[in-house]
Amino acid sequence: MATVLIKNLGKYVGEEVTVQGWLYNQRGSGKIKFLIMRDGSGLLQCVIVKQDIGEDVFAKLKTVTQETSMKVTGIVNEEPRATGGYEMQVTGFEIVSIAEEYPITHKEHGVDFLSEHRHLWIRTPRQMAILRVRSEIAHAFREFFYQHDFVLADPPILTPAACEGTSTLFEVDYHGEKAFLSQSGQLYSEANAMALGKIYCFGPTFRAEKSKTRRHLMEFWMVEAEMAYCDMDENINIQEEMVYYVIQRVLNKCGNELKILGRDVEKLKSIQLPFPRISYTEAVEILREAGEDFSWGEDFGAPHETIISNHFGLPVFVHRYPTEIKAFYMKPDPNDPKVVLGADLLAPEGYGEIIGGGQRIDDLALLKQRIQEHNLPLEAFEWYIDLRKYGSVPHSGFGLGLERTVAWLCGIEHIRETIPFPRMLHKMYP
Ligand code: 4AD
Ligand code: MG
């Protein structure tokens, strides 16, 4: 007899199959019981009738508690009213392990309690749905890059220098030397792009953020791409194509999950290409028109980003930020060196910046000058500077934060739910 996943039950209507999982909930009487089983792929209502399976077997059900692990066998029936659309008429079951009294019941719990029990919280339907969407999004990125001839090239996690400023570095002892956890793979990605042309990487990155917001994690996953012979506009083109691809993929593959999450899918469906592109200076005008007292040269805060993206109701690229507020490696605009050829993508519905990217400085002298202006140690960047000595070319790239993208596409309030075990300010357990 086949052991199947709940999400695949549609292929087995009328057949007897086994589902292995955990008891999520139960109700019933002395004659008939309804067990709601979960197996990670979905929920299934299993109907057990005393008369059918016999008194002794039925009596065993008295011992089963929430989260008891068990294998249930039965005939699959269509049942439009049940979650998932199917139901199982049970012919037998095997109890694997009776669970002790489960801390997370079906009543409401506070978020502090749930966070302390994150290892169990992830078993609830909402969390499972978010994590499945996350998985789908990660696959979609990889597929997109594969289809577009990008080579996967992984940068190191332990690094000798800062990429995104020195204020958010996690320091590690590297056999007596100072090392830092990577804030971004970008600098290494530039080297990899000079070797392989178009590359991407996808891995954990670290920021010792001092702020506690619903958008910041200390450890998050970034998808980064770097392309040789690529300018700012070409860089934006590939980003919007990629983001659009991922939205379509989630709409096509994660319908059930989005339903569980109560996501307003119409908002995602209405997104079309191309995304609006405005300069930082135009964005400042939008803020002022909205009544904000904002001076040119300031960085946007979360409320500013929300005003700008609400103005369009679409993902919007903001390009040509003031050179002063951006990283050392960004190429100044030759027509106006006060601004750089960088662009951020702001997600709609107040989800803020999901991509940071731009064209890199390809000139040797200017790069050295910028490293010094940022008070960064030249020695640690010698290898990076080398890239401008040996066949330097115009090149660009970007980094997209996976968790912020998951939060947006799932339509959820807080980034802590977008990764199995979030690392938050002063919170590292479990
Ligand atoms: O804008 P950022 O800092 O850009 C870079 O790191 C570039 N070196 C990337 C590149 O060009 N290769 O970060 C990129 C994205 C942000 O837009 C945001 O989505 C996410 O990473 N991000 C965070 N996500 C969660 N928690 C944090 N603390 C984050 N910091 C950045
Ligand atoms: Mg940024």
Side-chain angles (χ1 to χ4, degrees), residues 5 7 86 88 211 244-245 259-260 287 361 391 402 427:
L5 290 179
K7 72 168 187 166
Y86 301 94
M88 180 184 265
S211 52
Y244 183 77
Y245 175 85
K259 204 161 133 193
I260 292 168
L287 292 177
I361 293 175
L402 175 64
K427 251 194 198 146

Side-chain angles (χ1 to χ4, degrees), residues 164 207 299 305 321 326 329-330 343-345 353-357 399 404:
E164 295 299 323
R207 306 265 171 109
D299 207 352
E305 290 177 351
Y321 282 81
K326 285 294 185 185
Y329 51 72
M330 291 225 183
D344 287 353
L345 180 63
E353 179 201 324
I354 56 165
I355 298 184
R404 288 191 192 171

Side-chain angles (χ1 to χ4, degrees), residues 141 144-146 148-153 155 184-194 197-203 222-228 230-231 234-236 238-239 242 329 355-360 395-401:
F141 284 126
F144 179 86
F145 284 121
Y146 189 76
H148 288 76
D149 293 319
F150 283 72
V151 178
L152 172 66
S184 156
Q186 182 194 319
L187 305 184
Y188 295 93
S189 293
E190 289 181 52
N192 286 332
M194 295 308 132
K198 292 200 288 185
I199 68 98
Y200 82 98
C201 63
F202 188 9
M222 211 196 308
V223 194
E224 294 182 84
E226 197 68 32
M227 293 153 282
C230 176
D231 66 16
E234 292 164 325
N235 189 33
I236 293 180
I238 193 92
Q239 290 169 47
M242 176 188 80
Y329 51 72
I355 298 184
Q359 192 165 341
R360 324 303 189 188
H395 63 288
S396 305
F398 62 88
L400 171 144

Side-chain angles (χ1 to χ4, degrees), residues 83-347:
T83 334
Y86 301 94
E87 190 178 76
M88 180 184 265
Q89 198 69 37
V90 176
T91 53
F93 60 85
E94 179 194 330
I95 294 167
V96 179
S97 174
I98 298 278
E100 290 182 23
E101 194 179 338
Y102 198 60
I104 301 182
T105 59
H106 296 288
K107 61 172 212 263
E108 292 264 316
H109 293 283
V111 76
D112 286 339
F113 177 85
L114 290 170
S115 296
E116 283 284 302
H117 294 83
R118 183 66 180 164
H119 52 300
L120 305 177
W121 187 18
I122 51 178
R123 299 184 186 193
T124 52
R126 175 183 156 91
Q127 301 305 314
M128 290 189 292
I130 297 168
L131 295 180
R132 279 197 298 261
V133 175
R134 177 187 168 103
S135 165
E136 193 63 42
I137 292 174
H139 275 285
F141 284 126
R142 292 193 186 281
E143 226 157 272
F144 179 86
F145 284 121
Y146 189 76
Q147 284 169 12
H148 288 76
D149 293 319
F150 283 72
V151 178
L152 172 66
D154 298 309
I157 300 285
L158 289 165
T159 61
C163 177
E164 295 299 323
T166 48
S167 64
T168 61
L169 283 173
F170 276 113
E171 199 177 309
V172 204
D173 173 37
Y174 191 77
H175 300 297
E177 263 180 79
K178 233 190 225 180
F180 307 103
L181 297 181
S182 175
Q183 297 165 305
S184 156
Q186 182 194 319
L187 305 184
Y188 295 93
S189 293
E190 289 181 52
N192 286 332
M194 295 308 132
L196 297 158
K198 292 200 288 185
I199 68 98
Y200 82 98
C201 63
F202 188 9
T205 45
F206 306 85
R207 306 265 171 109
E209 307 276 5
K210 312 295 184 298
S211 52
K212 194 172 161 184
T213 79
R214 59 191 187 87
R215 290 182 187 174
H216 287 90
L217 292 167
M218 306 298 125
E219 177 180 320
F220 62 98
W221 282 62
M222 211 196 308
V223 194
E224 294 182 84
E226 197 68 32
M227 293 153 282
Y229 293 104
C230 176
D231 66 16
M232 184 185 77
D233 292 325
E234 292 164 325
N235 189 33
I236 293 180
N237 292 346
I238 193 92
Q239 290 169 47
E240 70 181 0
E241 209 186 313
M242 176 188 80
V243 170
Y244 183 77
Y245 175 85
V246 172
I247 297 170
Q248 301 317 308
R249 173 83 170 244
V250 168
L251 284 171
N252 288 335
K253 296 272 190 175
C254 301
N256 276 339
E257 284 76 16
L258 297 179
K259 204 161 133 193
I260 292 168
L261 297 169
R263 179 63 165 113
D264 177 356
V265 288
E266 293 311 317
K267 290 217 170 88
L268 297 178
K269 284 184 183 160
S270 70
I271 295 171
Q272 297 298 332
L273 290 175
F275 301 160
R277 300 176 186 192
I278 59 168
S279 67
Y280 168 89
T281 304
E282 289 168 314
V284 170
E285 276 160 28
I286 292 174
L287 292 177
R288 287 181 184 157
E289 275 163 27
E292 290 292 308
D293 178 20
F294 191 92
S295 352
W296 196 99
E298 280 178 56
D299 207 352
F300 299 138
H304 303 127
E305 290 177 351
T306 303
I307 294 170
I308 298 161
S309 72
N310 281 350
H311 185 86
F312 296 95
L314 288 167
V316 49
F317 287 102
V318 181
H319 54 76
R320 294 182 170 79
Y321 282 81
T323 310
E324 288 273 305
I325 56 171
K326 285 294 185 185
F328 76 92
Y329 51 72
M330 291 225 183
K331 186 180 172 79
D333 185 346
N335 299 319
D336 180 9
K338 279 199 316 301
V339 298
V340 286
L341 297 176
D344 287 353
L345 180 63
L346 309 183

